Coordinates of all heavy atoms in Angstrom, one line a residue:
M1 N 0.8 -1.1 0.0 CA 0.0 0.1 0.0 C 0.9 1.3 0.0 O 1.9 1.3 0.7 CB -0.9 0.0 1.1 CG -1.9 1.1 1.2 SD -3.0 0.9 2.7 CE -2.9 2.5 3.4
T2 N 0.5 2.2 -0.8 CA 1.3 3.5 -0.8 C 0.5 4.6 0.0 O -0.7 4.5 0.1 CB 1.5 4.1 -2.2 OG1 0.2 4.2 -2.8 CG2 2.3 3.0 -3.0
Q3 N 1.3 5.6 0.5 CA 0.6 6.7 1.2 C 1.4 7.9 0.9 O 2.6 7.9 0.7 CB 0.5 6.5 2.7 CG 1.8 6.3 3.3 CD 1.7 6.2 4.8 OE1 1.2 5.3 5.3 NE2 2.2 7.2 5.6
T4 N 0.7 9.0 0.8 CA 1.4 10.3 0.6 C 2.0 10.7 1.9 O 1.4 10.6 3.0 CB 0.4 11.4 0.2 OG1 -0.2 11.0 -1.0 CG2 1.1 12.7 0.1
V5 N 3.3 11.0 1.8 CA 4.0 11.3 3.1 C 4.4 12.8 3.2 O 4.9 13.3 4.1 CB 5.2 10.5 3.4 CG1 4.7 9.0 3.5 CG2 6.2 10.5 2.1
A6 N 4.5 13.5 2.0 CA 4.9 14.9 2.0 C 4.2 15.5 0.8 O 4.1 14.9 -0.2 CB 6.4 15.0 1.9
T7 N 3.8 16.8 0.9 CA 3.2 17.5 -0.2 C 3.8 19.0 -0.3 O 4.3 19.5 0.7 CB 1.7 17.7 -0.1 OG1 1.4 18.4 1.1 CG2 1.1 16.4 0.0
I8 N 3.8 19.5 -1.5 CA 4.3 20.9 -1.7 C 3.6 21.4 -2.9 O 3.5 20.6 -3.9 CB 5.9 20.9 -1.9 CG1 6.4 22.3 -2.0 CG2 6.4 20.1 -3.0 CD1 7.8 22.4 -1.9
P9 N 3.2 22.7 -3.0 CA 2.5 23.2 -4.2 C 3.6 23.1 -5.4 O 4.8 23.5 -5.2 CB 2.2 24.6 -3.9 CG 2.0 24.6 -2.3 CD 3.1 23.7 -1.9
E10 N 3.1 22.7 -6.5 CA 3.9 22.6 -7.7 C 4.6 24.0 -8.0 O 5.7 24.0 -8.4 CB 3.0 22.1 -8.9 CG 3.8 21.8 -10.1 CD 2.9 21.2 -11.2 OE1 1.6 21.4 -11.1 OE2 3.4 20.7 -12.2
S11 N 3.8 25.0 -7.8 CA 4.3 26.3 -8.2 C 5.5 26.8 -7.4 O 6.2 27.8 -7.7 CB 3.1 27.3 -8.1 OG 2.7 27.4 -6.7
E12 N 5.8 26.1 -6.2 CA 6.9 26.5 -5.4 C 8.2 25.9 -5.7 O 9.2 26.2 -5.1 CB 6.6 26.1 -4.0 CG 5.5 27.0 -3.4 CD 5.2 26.7 -1.9 OE1 6.1 26.0 -1.2 OE2 4.3 27.3 -1.3
L13 N 8.2 25.0 -6.8 CA 9.5 24.3 -7.2 C 9.6 24.5 -8.7 O 9.1 23.9 -9.5 CB 9.3 22.8 -6.8 CG 10.5 22.0 -7.0 CD1 11.7 22.5 -6.2 CD2 10.3 20.6 -6.7
L14 N 10.5 25.6 -9.0 CA 10.7 25.9 -10.4 C 11.7 24.9 -11.0 O 12.5 24.2 -10.3 CB 11.3 27.3 -10.5 CG 10.4 28.4 -9.9 CD1 11.1 29.8 -10.0 CD2 9.0 28.4 -10.5
D15 N 11.6 24.9 -12.4 CA 12.5 23.9 -13.2 C 13.9 24.2 -12.8 O 14.3 25.4 -12.8 CB 12.2 24.0 -14.6 CG 12.5 22.7 -15.3 OD1 13.1 21.9 -14.8 OD2 12.1 22.7 -16.5
G16 N 14.7 23.2 -12.5 CA 16.1 23.3 -12.1 C 16.4 23.6 -10.6 O 17.5 23.7 -10.2
E17 N 15.3 23.6 -9.9 CA 15.5 23.8 -8.4 C 15.4 22.6 -7.6 O 14.9 21.6 -8.0 CB 14.3 24.8 -8.0 CG 14.6 26.3 -8.4 CD 13.7 27.2 -7.6 OE1 12.7 26.8 -7.1 OE2 14.1 28.4 -7.6
M18 N 15.8 22.7 -6.4 CA 15.7 21.7 -5.4 C 15.1 22.4 -4.2 O 15.3 23.5 -3.8 CB 17.1 21.1 -5.0 CG 17.2 20.4 -3.8 SD 18.9 19.6 -3.5 CE 20.0 21.0 -3.8
K19 N 14.2 21.6 -3.4 CA 13.7 22.1 -2.2 C 13.6 21.0 -1.2 O 13.6 19.8 -1.5 CB 12.2 22.5 -2.4 CG 12.0 24.1 -2.6 CD 10.6 24.4 -2.5 CE 10.2 25.9 -2.7 NZ 11.2 26.8 -2.1
S20 N 13.5 21.4 0.1 CA 13.4 20.3 1.1 C 12.0 20.0 1.5 O 11.0 20.9 1.4 CB 14.2 20.5 2.3 OG 13.7 21.8 3.0
A21 N 11.6 18.9 2.0 CA 10.3 18.5 2.5 C 10.7 17.5 3.7 O 11.8 17.0 3.8 CB 9.4 17.9 1.5
F22 N 9.6 17.2 4.4 CA 9.9 16.4 5.5 C 8.9 15.2 5.6 O 7.7 15.4 5.3 CB 9.8 17.2 6.9 CG 10.9 18.1 7.1 CD1 10.8 19.4 6.5 CD2 12.1 17.7 7.6 CE1 11.7 20.3 6.6 CE2 13.1 18.7 7.7 CZ 13.0 20.0 7.2
L23 N 9.4 14.0 5.9 CA 8.5 12.9 6.0 C 7.9 12.9 7.5 O 8.3 13.7 8.3 CB 9.4 11.6 6.0 CG 10.0 11.4 4.7 CD1 10.9 10.0 4.6 CD2 9.2 11.4 3.5
P24 N 6.8 12.2 7.7 CA 6.1 12.2 9.0 C 7.1 12.0 10.2 O 6.8 12.6 11.3 CB 5.0 11.2 8.9 CG 4.8 11.1 7.5 CD 6.1 11.3 6.8
D25 N 8.1 11.2 10.0 CA 9.0 11.0 11.2 C 10.1 12.1 11.3 O 11.0 11.9 12.1 CB 9.7 9.6 11.0 CG 10.6 9.6 9.8 OD1 10.8 10.5 9.0 OD2 11.2 8.4 9.6
G26 N 10.0 13.2 10.5 CA 10.9 14.3 10.6 C 12.1 14.1 9.6 O 12.9 15.0 9.6
T27 N 12.2 13.0 8.9 CA 13.4 12.8 7.9 C 13.2 13.9 6.8 O 12.2 14.0 6.2 CB 13.3 11.4 7.4 OG1 13.4 10.5 8.5 CG2 14.5 11.3 6.5
R28 N 14.3 14.6 6.6 CA 14.3 15.5 5.5 C 14.6 14.8 4.2 O 15.5 14.0 4.1 CB 15.5 16.6 5.8 CG 15.4 17.8 4.9 CD 16.5 18.7 5.4 NE 16.4 20.0 4.7 CZ 17.4 20.9 4.8 NH1 18.5 20.7 5.6 NH2 17.2 22.1 4.1
I29 N 13.9 15.2 3.2 CA 14.1 14.7 1.8 C 14.4 15.8 0.8 O 14.1 17.1 1.2 CB 12.9 13.8 1.4 CG1 11.6 14.7 1.2 CG2 12.7 12.6 2.2 CD1 10.5 14.0 0.6
A30 N 14.8 15.5 -0.3 CA 15.1 16.6 -1.4 C 14.0 16.4 -2.5 O 14.0 15.3 -3.0 CB 16.5 16.5 -1.8
L31 N 13.4 17.5 -2.9 CA 12.5 17.4 -4.0 C 13.2 18.2 -5.2 O 13.8 19.3 -4.9 CB 11.2 18.1 -3.7 CG 10.2 17.4 -2.9 CD1 9.1 18.2 -2.3 CD2 9.6 16.2 -3.7
F32 N 13.1 17.6 -6.3 CA 13.7 18.3 -7.6 C 12.7 18.4 -8.6 O 11.8 17.6 -8.8 CB 14.9 17.4 -8.1 CG 15.9 17.1 -7.1 CD1 15.8 16.0 -6.3 CD2 17.0 17.9 -7.0 CE1 16.9 15.6 -5.4 CE2 18.0 17.6 -6.1 CZ 18.0 16.5 -5.2
H33 N 12.9 19.6 -9.4 CA 12.1 19.7 -10.6 C 13.2 19.9 -11.8 O 13.9 21.0 -11.8 CB 11.3 21.0 -10.5 CG 10.4 21.3 -11.7 ND1 9.7 22.5 -11.8 CD2 10.1 20.6 -12.8 CE1 9.0 22.4 -12.9 NE2 9.3 21.3 -13.6
I34 N 13.3 18.8 -12.6 CA 14.2 18.9 -13.6 C 13.6 18.4 -15.0 O 12.9 17.4 -15.0 CB 15.5 18.1 -13.4 CG1 15.1 16.7 -13.0 CG2 16.3 18.7 -12.3 CD1 16.3 15.6 -13.1
N35 N 13.9 19.2 -16.0 CA 13.4 18.8 -17.3 C 11.9 18.5 -17.4 O 11.5 17.5 -18.1 CB 14.2 17.6 -17.8 CG 15.7 17.8 -17.9 OD1 16.2 18.9 -18.2 ND2 16.4 16.8 -17.6
G36 N 11.2 19.3 -16.6 CA 9.8 19.1 -16.5 C 9.2 18.1 -15.7 O 8.0 17.9 -15.5
G37 N 10.1 17.3 -15.0 CA 9.7 16.2 -14.2 C 10.0 16.4 -12.7 O 10.8 17.3 -12.4
Y38 N 9.4 15.8 -11.8 CA 9.6 15.9 -10.4 C 10.2 14.6 -9.8 O 9.7 13.5 -10.1 CB 8.2 16.2 -9.7 CG 7.7 17.6 -10.1 CD1 6.8 17.6 -11.1 CD2 8.1 18.8 -9.6 CE1 6.2 18.9 -11.6 CE2 7.7 20.0 -10.1 CZ 6.7 20.0 -11.1 OH 6.3 21.2 -11.6
Y39 N 11.0 14.8 -8.9 CA 11.8 13.7 -8.3 C 12.0 13.9 -6.8 O 12.1 15.1 -6.4 CB 13.1 13.4 -9.0 CG 12.9 13.2 -10.5 CD1 13.0 14.2 -11.4 CD2 12.7 11.9 -11.0 CE1 12.8 14.1 -12.8 CE2 12.5 11.7 -12.4 CZ 12.6 12.8 -13.3 OH 12.3 12.5 -14.6
A40 N 12.2 12.9 -6.0 CA 12.5 13.0 -4.6 C 13.6 12.0 -4.2 O 13.5 10.9 -4.7 CB 11.3 12.9 -3.8
T41 N 14.5 12.5 -3.5 CA 15.5 11.5 -2.9 C 15.7 11.9 -1.4 O 15.3 12.9 -0.9 CB 16.9 11.7 -3.6 OG1 17.4 13.1 -3.2 CG2 16.8 11.7 -5.1
Q42 N 16.4 11.0 -0.7 CA 16.8 11.3 0.6 C 17.6 12.6 0.6 O 18.4 12.9 -0.5 CB 17.6 10.2 1.2 CG 19.1 10.0 0.6 CD 19.7 8.8 1.1 OE1 19.4 7.6 0.9 NE2 20.8 9.1 1.9
D43 N 17.7 13.3 1.6 CA 18.4 14.6 1.6 C 19.9 14.4 2.0 O 20.8 15.2 1.7 CB 17.8 15.6 2.7 CG 18.6 16.9 2.7 OD1 18.6 17.6 1.8 OD2 19.1 17.2 3.8
T44 N 20.2 13.4 2.8 CA 21.5 13.1 3.3 C 22.4 12.5 2.4 O 22.1 11.3 1.8 CB 21.4 12.4 4.5 OG1 20.6 13.0 5.5 CG2 22.8 12.2 5.4
C45 N 23.6 13.1 2.0 CA 24.5 12.4 1.2 C 24.9 11.1 1.8 O 25.0 10.9 3.0 CB 25.8 13.3 1.1 SG 27.1 12.7 0.0
T46 N 25.2 10.1 0.8 CA 25.5 8.7 1.4 C 27.1 8.7 1.8 O 27.5 7.6 2.3 CB 25.2 7.6 0.4 OG1 26.0 7.9 -0.9 CG2 23.8 7.6 0.0
H47 N 27.8 9.7 1.6 CA 29.2 9.7 2.0 C 29.4 10.0 3.4 O 29.7 9.2 4.2 CB 29.9 10.6 1.0 CG 31.4 10.6 1.4 ND1 32.2 11.7 1.4 CD2 32.3 9.5 1.5 CE1 33.4 11.4 1.7 NE2 33.6 10.1 1.7
E48 N 29.1 11.3 3.8 CA 29.4 11.8 5.1 C 28.3 12.7 5.7 O 28.6 13.6 6.5 CB 30.8 12.4 5.3 CG 31.9 11.4 5.1 CD 33.2 12.2 5.5 OE1 33.3 13.4 5.7 OE2 34.3 11.4 5.4
N49 N 27.1 12.4 5.4 CA 25.9 13.1 6.0 C 25.7 14.6 5.7 O 25.1 15.3 6.5 CB 26.0 12.8 7.5 CG 25.9 11.4 7.9 OD1 25.2 10.6 7.3 ND2 26.7 11.0 8.9
A50 N 26.3 15.0 4.6 CA 25.9 16.4 4.3 C 24.5 16.5 3.8 O 24.0 15.5 3.2 CB 26.9 16.9 3.2
S51 N 23.9 17.7 4.0 CA 22.6 17.8 3.5 C 22.7 18.3 2.1 O 23.3 19.3 1.7 CB 21.8 18.9 4.3 OG 20.7 19.5 3.6
L52 N 22.0 17.6 1.2 CA 22.0 18.0 -0.3 C 21.3 19.3 -0.5 O 21.6 20.2 -1.2 CB 21.4 16.9 -1.2 CG 22.1 15.6 -1.2 CD1 21.4 14.6 -2.0 CD2 23.6 15.8 -1.7
N53 N 20.2 19.6 0.3 CA 19.5 20.9 0.3 C 20.5 22.0 0.7 O 20.4 23.1 0.1 CB 18.3 20.9 1.2 CG 17.1 20.4 0.4 OD1 16.5 21.1 -0.4 ND2 16.7 19.1 0.8
D54 N 21.4 21.8 1.7 CA 22.2 22.8 2.2 C 23.5 22.9 1.4 O 24.1 24.0 1.3 CB 22.5 22.7 3.7 CG 21.3 22.7 4.5 OD1 20.3 23.3 4.2 OD2 21.3 22.2 5.7
E55 N 24.0 21.8 0.9 CA 25.3 21.7 0.4 C 25.4 21.3 -1.0 O 26.5 21.2 -1.6 CB 26.2 20.8 1.3 CG 26.2 21.0 2.8 CD 26.8 22.3 3.2 OE1 27.6 22.9 2.4 OE2 26.5 22.8 4.3
G56 N 24.3 21.0 -1.6 CA 24.2 20.3 -2.9 C 23.9 21.5 -4.1 O 23.3 22.5 -3.7
T57 N 24.4 21.2 -5.3 CA 24.1 22.0 -6.3 C 23.4 21.0 -7.5 O 23.8 19.9 -7.6 CB 25.3 22.7 -7.0 OG1 26.2 21.7 -7.4 CG2 25.9 23.6 -5.9
V58 N 22.5 21.7 -8.2 CA 21.8 20.9 -9.2 C 22.4 21.3 -10.6 O 22.5 22.5 -10.9 CB 20.3 21.2 -9.2 CG1 19.5 20.4 -10.4 CG2 19.7 20.7 -7.8
D59 N 22.7 20.3 -11.4 CA 23.1 20.6 -12.8 C 22.5 19.5 -13.7 O 22.9 18.4 -13.7 CB 24.7 20.5 -12.9 CG 25.2 20.9 -14.3 OD1 24.4 21.4 -15.1 OD2 26.4 20.6 -14.6
G60 N 21.5 19.9 -14.5 CA 20.8 19.0 -15.2 C 20.1 17.9 -14.5 O 19.4 18.2 -13.5
D61 N 20.4 16.6 -14.7 CA 19.7 15.6 -14.0 C 20.7 15.1 -12.9 O 20.5 13.9 -12.4 CB 19.3 14.4 -14.8 CG 20.5 13.7 -15.6 OD1 21.6 14.2 -15.4 OD2 20.2 12.7 -16.2
R62 N 21.7 15.8 -12.4 CA 22.6 15.5 -11.4 C 22.5 16.4 -10.2 O 22.4 17.7 -10.4 CB 24.0 15.3 -11.9 CG 24.2 14.3 -12.9 CD 25.5 14.4 -13.5 NE 25.8 13.3 -14.5 CZ 26.9 12.7 -14.8 NH1 27.9 13.1 -14.3 NH2 26.9 11.8 -15.7
V63 N 22.8 15.9 -9.0 CA 23.0 16.8 -7.8 C 24.4 16.4 -7.4 O 24.8 15.2 -7.3 CB 21.9 16.5 -6.8 CG1 21.8 15.1 -6.2 CG2 22.1 17.5 -5.6
T64 N 25.1 17.5 -7.0 CA 26.5 17.4 -6.5 C 26.5 17.7 -5.1 O 26.1 18.9 -4.7 CB 27.4 18.2 -7.4 OG1 27.4 17.9 -8.7 CG2 28.9 18.1 -6.9
C65 N 27.1 16.9 -4.2 CA 27.4 17.2 -2.8 C 28.7 17.9 -2.8 O 29.7 17.4 -3.1 CB 27.4 15.9 -2.0 SG 27.8 16.3 -0.3
T66 N 28.7 19.2 -2.5 CA 30.0 20.0 -2.5 C 30.9 19.7 -1.4 O 32.0 20.3 -1.4 CB 29.6 21.5 -2.6 OG1 28.9 21.9 -1.4 CG2 28.8 21.8 -3.8
W67 N 30.6 18.9 -0.4 CA 31.5 18.6 0.6 C 32.7 17.8 0.0 O 33.9 18.1 0.3 CB 30.9 17.7 1.8 CG 30.3 18.5 2.8 CD1 29.9 19.8 2.7 CD2 29.9 18.1 4.1 NE1 29.3 20.2 3.9 CE2 29.3 19.1 4.7 CE3 30.1 16.8 4.8 CZ2 28.9 19.0 6.1 CZ3 29.7 16.8 6.0 CH2 29.0 17.7 6.7
H68 N 32.5 16.9 -0.8 CA 33.6 16.1 -1.6 C 33.3 15.9 -3.0 O 33.9 15.0 -3.6 CB 33.8 14.8 -0.8 CG 34.1 14.9 0.7 ND1 33.0 14.7 1.6 CD2 35.1 15.3 1.4 CE1 33.5 15.0 2.8 NE2 34.8 15.4 2.8
Y69 N 32.3 16.5 -3.5 CA 32.0 16.6 -4.9 C 31.5 15.2 -5.5 O 31.8 14.8 -6.6 CB 33.1 17.2 -5.8 CG 33.3 18.5 -5.3 CD1 34.3 18.9 -4.4 CD2 32.6 19.5 -5.8 CE1 34.4 20.2 -3.9 CE2 32.6 20.9 -5.3 CZ 33.6 21.2 -4.4 OH 33.8 22.4 -3.9
C70 N 30.7 14.5 -4.7 CA 30.1 13.3 -5.3 C 28.9 13.8 -6.1 O 28.2 14.8 -5.7 CB 29.5 12.4 -4.2 SG 30.6 11.5 -3.4
E71 N 28.7 13.1 -7.2 CA 27.4 13.4 -8.0 C 26.5 12.2 -7.9 O 27.0 11.1 -7.9 CB 27.8 13.6 -9.5 CG 28.7 14.8 -9.7 CD 28.9 15.0 -11.2 OE1 29.4 14.0 -11.9 OE2 28.8 16.1 -11.8
F72 N 25.2 12.5 -7.9 CA 24.2 11.5 -7.9 C 23.2 11.8 -9.0 O 22.9 13.0 -9.3 CB 23.4 11.6 -6.6 CG 24.3 11.2 -5.4 CD1 24.9 12.2 -4.7 CD2 24.5 9.9 -4.9 CE1 25.6 12.0 -3.5 CE2 25.3 9.6 -3.9 CZ 25.8 10.7 -3.2
S73 N 22.7 10.7 -9.6 CA 21.6 10.9 -10.5 C 20.3 11.3 -9.7 O 19.9 10.5 -8.7 CB 21.3 9.6 -11.3 OG 20.0 9.6 -11.9
I74 N 19.6 12.3 -10.1 CA 18.5 12.7 -9.4 C 17.3 11.7 -9.7 O 16.4 11.5 -9.0 CB 18.1 14.2 -9.9 CG1 19.1 15.2 -9.2 CG2 16.7 14.5 -9.4 CD1 19.0 16.6 -9.8
V75 N 17.3 11.1 -10.9 CA 16.3 10.3 -11.4 C 16.4 8.9 -10.8 O 15.4 8.4 -10.3 CB 16.4 10.1 -13.0 CG1 15.2 9.1 -13.4 CG2 16.2 11.5 -13.6
T76 N 17.6 8.4 -10.6 CA 17.7 7.0 -10.1 C 18.4 6.9 -8.8 O 18.4 5.9 -8.1 CB 18.6 6.1 -11.0 OG1 19.9 6.6 -11.1 CG2 18.0 6.1 -12.5
G77 N 19.0 8.0 -8.2 CA 19.8 8.1 -7.0 C 21.1 7.5 -7.1 O 21.9 7.5 -6.2
E78 N 21.5 7.0 -8.3 CA 22.8 6.3 -8.5 C 24.0 7.2 -8.2 O 24.0 8.4 -8.5 CB 23.0 5.8 -9.9 CG 24.3 5.2 -10.2 CD 24.4 4.8 -11.7 OE1 23.5 5.2 -12.4 OE2 25.5 4.2 -12.0
A79 N 25.0 6.7 -7.3 CA 26.3 7.4 -7.1 C 27.1 7.3 -8.4 O 27.4 6.3 -8.9 CB 27.0 6.9 -5.9
L80 N 27.5 8.5 -8.9 CA 28.1 8.5 -10.3 C 29.6 8.6 -10.2 O 30.3 8.5 -11.2 CB 27.5 9.6 -11.1 CG 26.1 9.5 -11.3 CD1 25.5 10.8 -11.9 CD2 25.7 8.4 -12.2
N81 N 30.2 8.9 -9.1 CA 31.7 9.1 -8.9 C 32.1 8.8 -7.5 O 31.3 8.9 -6.5 CB 32.1 10.4 -9.5 CG 31.7 11.6 -8.7 OD1 30.8 11.5 -7.9 ND2 32.2 12.7 -9.0
S82 N 33.3 8.6 -7.3 CA 33.9 8.4 -6.0 C 34.1 9.8 -5.3 O 34.2 10.8 -6.0 CB 35.2 7.6 -6.0 OG 36.3 8.5 -6.7
P83 N 34.1 9.9 -4.0 CA 34.2 8.8 -3.1 C 32.9 8.1 -2.7 O 32.8 7.3 -1.8 CB 34.8 9.4 -1.8 CG 34.2 10.8 -1.8 CD 34.2 11.2 -3.3
C84 N 31.8 8.4 -3.4 CA 30.5 7.8 -3.1 C 30.3 6.6 -3.9 O 30.7 6.5 -5.1 CB 29.3 8.8 -3.3 SG 29.3 10.3 -2.3
S85 N 29.7 5.6 -3.3 CA 29.3 4.4 -4.0 C 27.9 4.0 -3.7 O 27.3 3.2 -4.5 CB 30.4 3.3 -3.6 OG 30.3 3.1 -2.2
E86 N 27.4 4.4 -2.6 CA 26.0 4.1 -2.2 C 25.0 5.0 -2.9 O 25.2 6.2 -2.8 CB 25.7 4.1 -0.7 CG 26.4 2.9 0.1 CD 26.0 3.0 1.5 OE1 24.9 3.2 1.9 OE2 27.0 2.8 2.3
P87 N 23.9 4.5 -3.5 CA 22.9 5.4 -4.1 C 22.1 6.1 -3.0 O 22.0 5.7 -1.9 CB 22.1 4.4 -4.8 CG 22.1 3.1 -4.2 CD 23.5 3.1 -3.6
L88 N 21.5 7.2 -3.5 CA 20.5 7.9 -2.7 C 19.2 7.1 -2.8 O 18.8 6.5 -3.8 CB 20.2 9.3 -3.2 CG 21.4 10.3 -3.2 CD1 20.9 11.6 -3.9 CD2 21.9 10.6 -1.8
Q89 N 18.4 7.0 -1.7 CA 17.1 6.5 -1.7 C 16.1 7.5 -2.5 O 16.3 8.6 -2.3 CB 16.5 6.3 -0.3 CG 15.1 5.7 -0.4 CD 14.6 5.3 1.0 OE1 15.3 5.5 2.0 NE2 13.3 4.9 1.1
T90 N 15.4 6.9 -3.4 CA 14.5 7.8 -4.2 C 13.0 7.5 -3.8 O 12.7 6.4 -3.2 CB 14.6 7.5 -5.7 OG1 14.3 6.1 -6.0 CG2 16.0 7.9 -6.1
Y91 N 12.2 8.4 -4.0 CA 10.8 8.3 -3.7 C 9.9 8.7 -4.9 O 10.3 9.7 -5.6 CB 10.4 9.2 -2.5 CG 11.2 9.0 -1.3 CD1 12.4 9.7 -1.1 CD2 10.8 8.1 -0.3 CE1 13.2 9.5 0.1 CE2 11.5 7.9 0.9 CZ 12.7 8.6 1.0 OH 13.4 8.4 2.2
P92 N 8.8 8.1 -5.2 CA 8.0 8.5 -6.3 C 7.3 9.8 -6.0 O 6.9 10.1 -4.8 CB 6.9 7.4 -6.4 CG 7.4 6.2 -5.6 CD 8.4 6.8 -4.6
V93 N 7.1 10.6 -7.0 CA 6.4 11.9 -6.8 C 5.2 12.0 -7.8 O 5.4 11.7 -9.0 CB 7.3 13.1 -7.1 CG1 6.6 14.4 -7.0 CG2 8.5 13.0 -6.2
K94 N 4.1 12.3 -7.3 CA 2.9 12.3 -8.2 C 2.4 13.8 -8.2 O 2.5 14.5 -7.0 CB 1.8 11.5 -7.8 CG 2.0 10.0 -7.9 CD 0.9 9.2 -7.5 CE 1.1 7.7 -7.6 NZ 0.0 6.9 -7.2
V95 N 1.9 14.3 -9.3 CA 1.3 15.7 -9.2 C -0.2 15.5 -9.3 O -0.7 14.9 -10.3 CB 1.8 16.5 -10.5 CG1 1.2 17.9 -10.4 CG2 3.3 16.5 -10.5
I96 N -0.9 16.0 -8.3 CA -2.3 16.0 -8.3 C -2.9 17.3 -8.0 O -2.6 18.0 -6.9 CB -2.8 15.0 -7.2 CG1 -2.3 13.6 -7.4 CG2 -4.4 14.9 -7.1 CD1 -2.4 12.6 -6.3
D97 N -3.6 17.9 -9.0 CA -4.3 19.1 -8.9 C -3.3 20.2 -8.6 O -3.5 21.1 -7.5 CB -5.4 19.2 -7.9 CG -6.5 18.3 -8.4 OD1 -6.7 18.1 -9.6 OD2 -7.3 17.7 -7.6
G98 N -2.0 20.2 -9.1 CA -1.1 21.3 -8.8 C -0.2 21.1 -7.6 O 0.5 22.0 -7.2
V99 N -0.3 19.9 -7.0 CA 0.3 19.7 -5.7 C 1.2 18.5 -5.8 O 0.7 17.5 -6.4 CB -0.6 19.5 -4.5 CG1 0.1 19.1 -3.2 CG2 -1.5 20.7 -4.3
L100 N 2.5 18.6 -5.5 CA 3.4 17.4 -5.5 C 3.2 16.5 -4.3 O 3.1 17.1 -3.1 CB 4.9 18.0 -5.5 CG 5.2 19.0 -6.6 CD1 6.7 19.3 -6.4 CD2 5.0 18.4 -8.0
H101 N 3.0 15.3 -4.6 CA 2.8 14.3 -3.5 C 4.0 13.3 -3.5 O 4.2 12.6 -4.6 CB 1.5 13.5 -3.7 CG 0.3 14.4 -3.5 ND1 -0.5 14.4 -2.4 CD2 -0.2 15.3 -4.4 CE1 -1.5 15.3 -2.6 NE2 -1.4 15.8 -3.8
V102 N 4.8 13.2 -2.5 CA 5.8 12.2 -2.4 C 5.0 11.0 -1.7 O 4.4 11.1 -0.7 CB 6.9 12.7 -1.5 CG1 8.0 11.6 -1.3 CG2 7.6 13.9 -2.1
V103 N 5.3 9.8 -2.3 CA 4.6 8.6 -1.8 C 5.7 7.6 -1.4 O 6.7 7.5 -2.0 CB 3.6 8.0 -2.8 CG1 2.4 9.0 -3.1 CG2 4.3 7.8 -4.1
C104 N 5.2 6.8 -0.4 CA 6.1 5.6 0.0 C 5.3 4.4 0.0 O 4.1 4.4 0.1 CB 6.7 5.9 1.4 SG 7.9 7.2 1.6
Ligands
FES201 S1 29.6 14.2 2.3 FE1 28.7 14.4 0.4 S2 30.5 14.0 -0.9 FE2 31.3 13.7 1.1

């Protein structure tokens, strides 16, 4: 069974931007709007716990953690270079009546 765990108005996330949202347990996640699509990943870098919302930069379909310059695929969460090897957890995002819904 899936459930919506976080929502944000679509108008608050412009193309090429990243924003944070929170799961019911307080876990911070990263929401992305890239190439007309919406994506969500865990906010914490899999290397040394940097926040992607605070320390990351978005370039195309990649987010870079600027602590040690790991790149991750925003779409799949895949770690694309060292020193990172673990992927980011990803979450499905649905748009319903102009609102982004992150589902688990
Ligand atoms: S903490 Fe993100 S690359 Fe090292």
Side-chain angles (χ1 to χ4, degrees):
M1 184 173 128
T2 61
Q3 68 178 58
T4 297
V5 296
T7 62
I8 184 171
E10 187 177 17
S11 60
E12 290 188 8
L13 188 57
L14 302 179
D15 208 349
E17 284 192 340
M18 166 175 47
K19 258 194 185 318
S20 64
F22 293 89
L23 302 182
D25 67 359
T27 302
R28 193 178 186 190
I29 61 173
L31 280 168
F32 301 90
H33 183 185
I34 56 166
N35 301 324
Y38 296 98
Y39 303 90
T41 71
Q42 70 184 70
D43 177 65
T44 305
C45 178
T46 59
H47 182 229
E48 286 186 0
N49 300 323
S51 162
L52 295 176
N53 274 286
D54 295 339
E55 309 296 341
T57 60
V58 176
D59 183 15
D61 64 354
R62 296 176 177 207
V63 60
T64 301
C65 176
T66 59
W67 274 17
H68 308 97
Y69 297 98
C70 283
E71 292 182 313
F72 297 93
S73 165
I74 292 169
V75 177
T76 67
E78 179 185 2
L80 300 171
N81 62 350
S82 68
C84 295
S85 57
E86 288 185 43
L88 298 172
Q89 181 174 353
T90 60
Y91 304 91
V93 179
K94 293 182 180 176
V95 183
I96 303 171
D97 295 332
V99 177
L100 306 179
H101 295 257
V102 179
V103 294
C104 288

